[in-house]
Amino acid sequence: MRRTPRISEAEWEVMKVLWKRSPRTANDIVEELTGKTPWKRETIRTLINRLAGKKVLKYEKKGRQYHYSPRVTEAECLRAESDSFFQRF
């Protein structure tokens, strides 16, 4: 069984957008989060890049755009967070 990386609260917001519907471009994600969060475009793009680096997101380049999709399900992330919580206590 592969280990699901821990993701921050901010990264969760990006993942929720992608769990709802994917694949999506970075611009799609930015557009959806702009009204819901106080983050700037660069902040959201940084979060996307972090998630891709953690191998939680996969991406496919189509033309000049990258299309992002989750590699892990919401249930896998919730299970990893629960396990982490129980290990600490």
Side-chain angles (χ1 to χ4, degrees):
M1 186 168 113
R2 69 177 180 199
R3 188 178 183 292
T4 304
R6 294 199 51 211
I7 58 177
S8 70
E9 288 293 321
E11 292 167 340
W12 266 100
E13 294 302 316
V14 173
M15 292 302 293
K16 284 194 246 180
V17 169
L18 289 165
W19 284 321
K20 189 169 35 170
R21 188 175 58 128
S22 61
R24 302 195 63 181
T25 65
N27 287 336
D28 293 337
I29 298 166
V30 167
E31 186 177 309
E32 180 146 347
L33 289 174
T34 296
K36 297 177 183 176
T37 65
W39 304 328
K40 294 183 179 181
R41 169 181 291 276
E42 296 80 19
T43 302
I44 297 168
R45 288 181 175 271
T46 298
L47 293 169
I48 293 168
N49 288 332
R50 274 194 216 158
L51 289 165
K54 290 180 179 183
K55 306 271 190 246
V56 177
L57 293 183
K58 60 184 174 184
Y59 56 90
E60 180 181 350
K61 187 171 184 178
K62 294 183 181 179
R64 295 183 65 206
Q65 294 185 322
Y66 288 91
H67 293 255
Y68 297 92
S69 300
R71 285 183 182 226
V72 295
T73 65
E74 188 172 7
E76 287 173 313
C77 285
L78 286 170
R79 187 172 24 261
E81 286 298 313
S82 296
D83 291 346
S84 173
F85 175 79
F86 287 123
Q87 286 176 0
R88 286 187 303 235
F89 291 98

